[in-house]
């Protein structure tokens, strides 16, 4: 390094924002650069600078700092460590030259070969491919101090397999919603909170996160129904902000289901059992009462599946019946009642009318 510094060129800084490297030996600048320097009215300033060295290859830079497998895995959380260890072991087992990885980072070509193998021979789904990529990347970070994000072709390869992850959630009809909410035998606190969540998610077109963000003080009753104010998430685009949104849970004087009464009965029961009038909206219901424990996000996410099973739907999975099922159901019901695409896009918070179409 000392010898390189002694032989380093002088850095010539032209104040007209032109930068040239000028050797102090016999080398001369090209004629075009000499003319440009002579015409510069501000002159030039020569500064002694450390040379800008060529970037060292990743393998050369990190050969001394490679950790053994057991050492690098200790940085992974203990609970998840077995899965990461298995993912890395499977990766190494795929290569006959895996001993080389004790001294260098796997190349992009090697990684691409492995992930093609997972897709074409092991039949991994796209989500499983990304999970494996994430675990291998975590080990690489700890073992070599590098990141697989530098391998753009590898990421492009895995993205090309994303065609199988776009599953469309199934839709509930208005009759399905009424059939579930109108079941009189489902009157225990356990079902009261679930009926309330279904009602709010349907009439508000709410996402899972938006349901989780509702507060008891967001509800206001009137003769027309229950008015709900909440923060609508904007998940895409430059306007990645929350905006206030309102919707009405209607009061039905006659008919099978009074939607507003479902929400009001739940709020009143929570107030009587827990004394709560503000804060988190959804609380755990037991057989006879509510308890002072919020409903967890996973329990809320499972509610559309519970509803589908009670209605006797086929092929009920976490992919076929989700909170998007309720949003799509709202859009379908709105279209059946004459709403146009841009109206449906604006209310549930879709960024484009194409999504609602």
């Amino acid at each position: 390094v000392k010898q390189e510094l002694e032989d380093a060129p002088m850095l010539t800084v032209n104040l007209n924002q032109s930068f040239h490297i000028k050797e102090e030996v016999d080398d001369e600048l090209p004629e075009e650069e000499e003319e440009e320097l002579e015409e510069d009215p501000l002159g030039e300033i020569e500064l002694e600078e450390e040379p800008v060295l060529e970037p060292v290859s990743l393998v050369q830079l990190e050969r001394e700092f490679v950790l053994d497998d057991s050492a690098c895995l200790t940085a992974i959380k203990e609970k998840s460590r077995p899965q990461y260890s298995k993912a890395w072991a499977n990766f190494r087992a795929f290569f006959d030259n895996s001993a080389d990885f004790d001294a260098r980072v796997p190349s992009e070509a090697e990684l691409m070969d492995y992930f093609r193998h997972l897709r074409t021979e092991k039949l991994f789904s796209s989500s499983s491919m990304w999970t494996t990529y994430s675990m291998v990347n975590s080990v690489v970070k700890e073992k070599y101090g590098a990141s697989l994000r530098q391998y753009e072709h590898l990421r492009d390869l895995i993205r090309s397999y994303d065609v199988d992850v776009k599953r469309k959630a199934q839709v509930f009809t208005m009759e399905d919603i009424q059939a579930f909410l109108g079941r009189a035998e489902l009157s225990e606190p356990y079902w009261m909170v679930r009926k309330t969540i279904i009602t709010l998610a349907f009439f508000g077109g709410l996402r899972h996160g938006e349901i989780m963000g509702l507060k008891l003080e967001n509800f206001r009753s009137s003769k027309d129904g229950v008015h709900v104010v909440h923060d609508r998430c904007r998940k895409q685009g430059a306007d990645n902000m929350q905006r206030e949104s309102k919707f009405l849970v209607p009061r039905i004087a006659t008919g099978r289901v009074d939607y507003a009464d479902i929400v009001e009965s739940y709020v009143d029961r929570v107030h009587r059992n827990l004394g709560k009038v503000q804060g988190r909206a959804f609380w755990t219901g037991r057989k006879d009462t509510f308890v002072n424990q919020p409903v967890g996000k996973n329990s809320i996410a499972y509610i559309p599946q519970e509803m589908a099973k009670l209605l006797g739907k086929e092929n009920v999975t976490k992919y076929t019946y989700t909170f998007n099922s309720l949003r799509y159901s709202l859009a379908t019901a709105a279209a059946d009642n004459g709403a146009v695409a841009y109206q449906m896009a604006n209310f549930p918070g879709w960024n484009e009318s194409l999504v609602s179409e």
Side-chain angles (χ1 to χ4, degrees):
V1 172
K2 179 179 178 182
Q3 184 62 38
E4 289 177 351
L5 289 172
E6 291 174 352
D7 297 338
M10 294 287 290
L11 178 63
T12 301
V13 181
N14 185 299
L15 295 181
N16 198 27
Q17 295 185 344
S18 298
F19 296 88
H20 310 281
I21 299 296
K22 181 178 179 182
E23 296 283 354
E24 290 191 59
V25 291
D26 296 333
D27 297 340
E28 295 183 356
L29 293 173
E31 294 181 0
E32 295 81 4
E33 294 185 1
E34 289 182 336
E35 293 175 0
E36 181 180 344
L37 292 175
E38 291 172 357
E39 294 174 359
D40 185 356
L42 297 178
E44 57 188 36
I45 300 173
E46 294 187 353
L47 301 175
E48 290 281 353
E49 289 278 347
E50 291 187 8
V52 179
L53 301 178
E54 292 294 324
V56 183
S57 72
L58 185 63
V59 174
Q60 291 175 334
L61 180 65
E62 293 165 358
R63 189 180 297 274
E64 299 180 37
F65 306 102
V66 174
L67 301 177
D68 61 43
D69 291 351
S70 59
C72 72
L73 287 168
T74 58
I76 308 296
K77 289 183 179 179
E78 185 175 358
K79 181 179 179 181
S80 305
R81 198 175 298 158
Q83 291 88 344
Y84 284 75
S85 177
K86 182 178 179 182
W88 181 248
N90 289 341
F91 171 74
R92 294 194 59 149
F94 177 72
F95 298 96
D96 294 333
N97 64 332
S98 62
D100 294 352
F101 301 151
D102 293 330
R104 65 169 179 85
V105 182
S107 69
E108 185 170 31
E110 290 169 329
L111 285 154
M112 291 178 71
D113 286 343
Y114 179 66
F115 279 92
R116 287 193 191 96
H117 160 73
L118 294 183
R119 179 67 173 187
T120 59
E121 298 182 31
K122 295 295 186 180
L123 304 179
F124 271 34
S125 66
S126 177
S127 59
S128 297
M129 297 272 285
W130 282 114
T131 300
T132 303
Y133 170 88
S134 177
M135 290 192 290
V136 171
N137 188 34
S138 295
V139 176
V140 167
K141 286 180 180 179
E142 298 299 332
K143 186 176 180 66
Y144 308 99
S147 172
L148 298 187
R149 293 186 67 85
Q150 65 182 314
Y151 293 149
E152 285 298 328
H153 294 302
L154 172 62
R155 292 168 61 81
D156 289 342
L157 173 69
I158 301 176
R159 287 192 194 101
S160 70
Y161 300 139
D162 280 350
V163 292
D164 62 352
V165 299
K166 300 186 182 299
R167 303 180 177 92
K168 184 176 180 180
Q170 298 297 309
V171 174
F172 294 109
T173 65
M174 196 65 195
E175 290 73 21
D176 290 334
I177 301 291
Q178 292 176 344
F180 175 72
L181 298 179
R183 295 184 66 162
E185 71 274 17
L186 303 180
S187 59
E188 299 173 351
Y190 178 90
W191 290 110
M192 288 180 71
V193 64
R194 281 155 175 75
K195 285 185 175 183
T196 300
I197 289 172
I198 290 291
T199 302
L200 294 169
F202 175 75
F203 283 102
L206 301 182
R207 300 179 176 93
H208 179 265
E210 293 165 347
I211 276 284
M212 294 288 295
L214 287 178
K215 309 291 184 184
L216 288 171
E217 58 266 31
N218 294 147
F219 308 143
R220 181 179 62 83
S221 294
S222 73
K223 64 178 182 179
D224 298 319
V226 177
H227 300 265
V228 183
V229 179
H230 72 103
D231 289 328
R232 176 73 72 189
C233 298
R234 299 298 296 268
K235 298 182 68 175
Q236 300 176 357
D239 184 20
N240 191 24
M241 302 287 290
Q242 292 183 334
R243 62 181 176 89
E244 187 178 273
S245 183
K246 302 176 183 179
F247 65 91
L248 175 70
V249 178
R251 190 180 306 283
I252 308 297
T254 59
R256 184 175 182 181
V257 179
D258 186 344
Y259 305 106
D261 183 66
I262 290 174
V263 178
E264 291 171 336
S265 297
Y266 166 77
V267 172
D268 178 67
R269 185 68 177 269
V270 167
H271 175 61
R272 287 189 287 113
N273 289 167
L274 303 177
K276 296 184 181 297
V277 294
Q278 61 182 8
R280 297 185 64 155
F282 304 114
W283 299 90
T284 299
R286 302 300 188 198
K287 184 175 182 180
D288 300 317
T289 188
F290 285 96
V291 296
N292 192 28
Q293 178 182 345
V295 181
K297 64 179 182 180
N298 292 331
S299 295
I300 289 179
Y302 183 66
I303 290 174
Q305 296 175 59
E306 286 186 286
M307 174 178 165
K309 289 178 179 179
L310 281 171
L311 294 173
K313 299 290 186 181
E314 297 180 354
N315 190 29
V316 178
T317 71
K318 63 180 180 180
Y319 302 112
T320 54
Y321 289 94
T322 69
F323 260 83
N324 276 337
S325 296
L326 299 169
R327 285 164 59 76
Y328 296 158
S329 301
L330 167 69
T332 301
D336 291 343
N337 284 275
V340 295
Y342 79 88
Q343 292 172 316
M344 292 185 287
N346 181 62
F347 178 66
W350 286 311
N351 283 353
E352 299 180 5
S353 60
L354 180 62
V355 179
S356 57
E357 292 173 355

